[in-house]
Amino acid sequence: MARFLFIRTYCTTIFIPKEQLSEEEIQSILNEAIVKNNQLAMQLNQKIDDRYLPDMIGHIKGHKANGIYLENEFIFLEDIRHVEVISISKWSDLD
């Protein structure tokens, strides 16, 4: 009779801090995203248990002087650590 040993493991995903962008770099990327309706990946300067949160992904749906609406979430500009335009392949372009 075979015996199996089941070991329960717990994985913790650690998100590496991305480069802290300057206010000017962030503004430039956000302005381009507004004009071109680009999708963004954004890392915030927020941590839980000394770990960065996963990137927020979405389109800018609106903005104010002190922040933006990424989809339906308001984000203060001062809370943004890193932002980048991401492109998602269309299903029709996949092999």
Side-chain angles (χ1 to χ4, degrees):
M1 176 180 226
R3 289 185 168 193
F4 296 97
L5 176 63
F6 293 96
I7 300 173
R8 180 174 283 180
T9 60
Y10 296 94
C11 295
T12 302
T13 304
I14 297 174
F15 297 96
I16 307 297
K18 295 182 179 179
E19 175 188 0
Q20 174 70 58
L21 299 180
S22 69
E23 279 186 45
E24 293 80 21
E25 291 171 311
I26 291 169
Q27 283 288 356
S28 175
I29 294 167
L30 295 178
N31 288 337
E32 180 182 342
I34 290 169
V35 171
K36 296 182 177 179
N37 195 32
N38 291 332
Q39 189 169 30
L40 299 173
M42 186 176 302
Q43 186 178 59
L44 302 181
N45 267 326
Q46 297 176 350
K47 297 179 185 178
I48 294 180
D49 294 332
D50 223 20
R51 296 186 180 132
Y52 283 93
L53 302 175
D55 286 358
M56 298 181 70
I57 296 176
H59 291 90
I60 296 176
K61 300 295 184 181
H63 57 91
K64 294 183 176 180
N66 62 343
I68 61 161
Y69 287 94
L70 189 68
E71 299 303 333
N72 294 323
E73 187 79 27
F74 185 77
I75 300 167
F76 288 98
L77 295 174
E78 63 195 33
D79 291 338
I80 300 172
R81 176 179 185 79
H82 186 90
V83 63
E84 60 189 313
V85 173
I86 58 171
S87 61
I88 298 191
S89 301
K90 293 182 183 180
W91 68 268
S92 57
D93 293 339
L94 300 175
D95 289 332

